[in-house]
Amino acid sequence: DKTEDYAKADKLLEALNLTETELDTLNCCMNKMKRSEIAAELGITIHGVRYRKLRIKQKYAMHIGV
């Protein structure tokens, strides 16, 4: 059921406690944008994109206990 899948995703995102900028970055990634496209869209550097993606991965790893 798609509704249940979305509820699980929403619950996970809430648990990760992502910042607004991390959520923006994640949304761009989910839309299959390249780093350069994300940087242009969000008005940040490519280094900034890499850092935000790293923080998202770190938060996810902490959440699942890796």
Side-chain angles (χ1 to χ4, degrees):
D1 181 356
K2 282 189 177 183
T3 304
E4 187 176 309
D5 290 342
Y6 287 124
K8 287 179 183 178
D10 289 342
K11 188 175 179 179
L12 173 61
L13 286 174
E14 187 177 321
L16 294 180
N17 198 29
L18 300 177
T19 65
E20 196 68 33
T21 56
E22 289 166 345
L23 278 171
D24 291 341
T25 303
L26 180 59
N27 284 328
C28 289
C29 291
M30 297 291 289
N31 286 314
K32 301 190 186 301
M33 295 172 71
K34 296 176 184 175
R35 264 191 230 139
S36 58
E37 294 171 323
I38 297 170
E41 176 74 21
L42 301 179
I44 60 174
T45 65
I46 290 176
H47 176 73
V49 174
R50 278 193 208 122
Y51 175 76
R52 289 178 183 180
K53 288 174 75 173
L54 174 65
R55 289 292 299 144
I56 294 166
K57 290 175 187 177
Q58 288 172 335
K59 288 181 179 186
Y60 181 70
M62 286 176 27
H63 176 73
I64 62 171
V66 174

